[in-house]
Amino acid sequence: QVQLAEAGGGLVQAGGSLSLSCAASGPDLRLYFMGWFRQAPGKEREFVASIGWIPGSSKYADSLRDRFTISRDNSKSSLTLHMNDLKPEDTAVYYCAASLRVTLESAYWGQGTQVTVSG
């Protein structure tokens, strides 16, 4: 059983930056791919970014790769999402996920953290 807890959401002005963190606990975390998803009001949950145990294994949604950076600290079992040049359309609840599958199917989920970007 993997448990995930996000932190770092909040209100930010358009053009600003924000970092989200996710603390993970559980056995054999090195086996898990981890990532971020987001869900805006009235929309389906969408993939943001993911990363494996190996450095350089990160993947991004095409529309976000220039502004968002995912990183993983394996020694601390933590995941971070740095978001730059935020736009009002980035407003959403951001969820941390962990899965044994690279596609993050059948994932464990955190409770989510709200990010609101004011225009």
Side-chain angles (χ1 to χ4, degrees):
Q1 183 83 14
V2 174
Q3 294 183 324
L4 305 168
E6 303 95 336
L11 175 64
V12 62
Q13 291 186 341
S17 300
L18 198 64
S19 292
L20 306 180
S21 62
C22 174
S25 61
D28 297 324
L29 288 174
R30 62 183 174 83
L31 299 178
Y32 286 82
F33 295 90
M34 297 186 70
W36 292 94
F37 287 73
R38 68 184 185 182
Q39 187 167 20
K43 295 187 177 181
E44 295 186 353
R45 188 175 295 185
E46 65 172 350
F47 170 77
V48 173
S50 66
I51 189 168
W53 179 262
I54 301 173
S57 62
S58 56
K59 297 182 179 180
Y60 295 89
D62 289 341
S63 61
L64 300 176
R65 66 174 62 251
D66 291 338
R67 299 187 293 119
F68 288 16
T69 302
I70 190 172
S71 61
R72 178 172 180 167
D73 186 335
N74 295 321
S75 66
K76 297 180 180 179
S77 299
S78 66
L79 184 71
T80 300
L81 183 70
H82 296 289
M83 304 181 290
N84 296 317
D85 190 23
L86 284 162
K87 306 176 186 302
E89 52 263 41
D90 294 318
T91 295
V93 177
Y94 284 71
Y95 295 91
C96 177
S99 171
L100 293 173
R101 301 183 180 183
V102 66
T103 55
L104 294 178
E105 294 175 30
S106 303
Y108 293 98
W109 295 94
Q111 80 286 355
T113 185
Q114 176 70 47
V115 172
T116 302
V117 183
S118 63

